[in-house]
């Protein structure tokens, strides 16, 4: 039987990245440089923050082998 591509938590974090990108990055990576970069990008504009959050999410997902 094939394994699911992502869990419910991953899907929730993906949608959370649309609404509150810094929270999504914090929950995925913790208080790292990625979190602070995301806050700065959100201050500059909401769209860059969302794109960065999705990139952080995708890079963690690929490293864990779940994508």
């Amino acid at each position: 039987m094939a394994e699911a591509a992502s869990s419910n938590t991953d899907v929730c974090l993906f949608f959370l990245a649309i609404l509150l990108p810094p929270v999504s990055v914090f929950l995925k990576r913790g208080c790292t440089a990625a979190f602070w970069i995301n806050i700065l990008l959100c201050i500059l504009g909401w769209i860059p923050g969302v794109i960065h959050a999705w990139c952080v999410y995708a890079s963690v997902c690929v490293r864990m082998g779940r994508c």
Side-chain angles (χ1 to χ4, degrees):
M1 187 165 168
E3 189 175 319
S6 61
S7 67
N8 290 337
T9 306
D10 292 336
V11 173
C12 290
L13 285 176
F14 181 78
F15 286 115
L16 185 62
I18 296 171
L19 300 173
L20 299 168
V23 173
S24 177
V25 172
F26 178 77
L27 291 175
K28 200 67 170 172
R29 300 281 293 274
C31 192
T32 61
F35 171 70
W36 295 108
I37 290 169
N38 194 273
I39 286 180
L40 291 174
L41 288 171
C42 286
I43 289 171
L44 294 174
W46 175 71
I47 300 270
V50 170
I51 293 171
H52 179 259
W54 284 346
C55 290
V56 167
Y57 171 77
S59 68
V60 169
C61 186
V62 168
R63 279 190 218 142
M64 295 177 78
R66 293 198 288 179
C67 293

